[in-house]
Amino acid sequence: MDQLMKMAQASTAGDITQYLTFQSANDTFAIDILDVKEIIEIEGITRVPMMPEFLCGIINLRGRVVPVIDLSKRLGRHTTVMTKKSCIVLVEVSHEEEQQIIGMLVDEVNEILEIDDEHTQPPPDFGADLRVDFIRAMGRVGEHFMILLDINYVLSVADISAISQLSFHATDVVNEE
């Protein structure tokens, strides 16, 4: 009887998802670990004129042009002040059936947490100082809530398109270096 009870509880339990947690603009955010491709040190960001304010520039990643956004600025906050702990989180986003690697400048990376789907809630309709479409869910960790970002919305389709054009036109800049 106890065996059946355990099986029933296991089948109703939520799935566990791993999230990379990091600091940006004095807040803790998280993204699905499956979206993360790599975490790198900040080296040689080439600024590109006439780009959106949140775009720091581009980097040369093993011969590939990768746009880098200032996540804090993208979220409508202040420009990130780079420190020894600052880094670039490389993520892969989808756009029109294509994959694009994009770097997100963050204050520091914290840890990988496992959050059961039962401990997530939809984003609030009010009170958040972020666009609701940027928020995948609110994850409860202990007694605290954490914002789980949806990277496919943090960079809207229009933004991805503009960044894709940047990558195409900036190839010459990387090849000259």
Side-chain angles (χ1 to χ4, degrees):
M1 187 72 148
D2 287 335
Q3 185 76 5
L4 289 174
M5 199 69 132
K6 286 180 183 177
M7 288 174 63
Q9 287 174 342
S11 67
T12 59
D15 292 329
I16 293 176
T17 304
Q18 291 185 325
Y19 293 92
L20 176 71
T21 64
F22 53 87
Q23 297 294 124
S24 182
N26 298 322
D27 287 320
T28 302
F29 295 100
I31 58 174
D32 190 319
I33 195 70
L34 296 177
D35 293 328
V36 177
K37 294 300 169 196
E38 192 174 347
I39 301 167
I40 61 173
E41 292 181 11
I42 300 168
E43 291 182 20
I45 297 176
T46 303
R47 300 215 181 272
V48 179
M50 299 178 66
M51 284 293 115
E53 192 173 283
F54 65 85
L55 187 65
C56 299
I58 57 172
I59 59 172
N60 179 353
L61 182 68
R62 297 180 285 278
R64 184 177 185 179
V65 174
V66 176
V68 178
I69 67 158
D70 181 338
L71 184 62
S72 175
K73 199 71 172 163
R74 177 67 179 133
L75 298 176
R77 298 182 173 156
H78 59 79
T79 301
T80 298
V81 177
M82 290 193 230
T83 66
K84 291 179 182 179
K85 294 182 179 183
S86 299
C87 58
I88 297 172
V89 177
L90 297 172
V91 296
E92 187 172 68
V93 294
S94 300
H95 175 62
E96 296 179 358
E97 299 181 24
E98 290 187 24
Q99 302 300 315
Q100 171 78 42
I101 301 290
I102 297 177
M104 294 190 312
L105 176 63
V106 299
D107 294 332
E108 80 180 88
V109 169
N110 296 335
E111 62 185 326
I112 295 173
L113 289 178
E114 292 183 344
I115 301 176
D116 190 307
D117 288 347
E118 290 180 346
H119 294 170
T120 63
Q121 297 178 7
D125 291 333
F126 61 91
D129 61 349
L130 293 176
R131 289 177 33 189
V132 176
D133 58 337
F134 284 7
I135 303 173
R136 173 187 241 170
M138 301 298 295
R140 191 179 76 225
V141 180
E143 296 299 314
H144 302 284
F145 280 97
M146 179 178 304
I147 297 172
L148 309 178
L149 294 175
D150 188 328
I151 62 162
N152 285 308
Y153 286 101
V154 170
L155 297 172
S156 71
V157 173
D159 295 336
I160 294 168
S161 182
I163 291 171
S164 296
Q165 289 299 317
L166 166 67
S167 295
F168 177 75
H169 294 298
T171 304
D172 293 335
V173 173
V174 172
N175 290 335
E176 289 175 9
E177 289 181 3

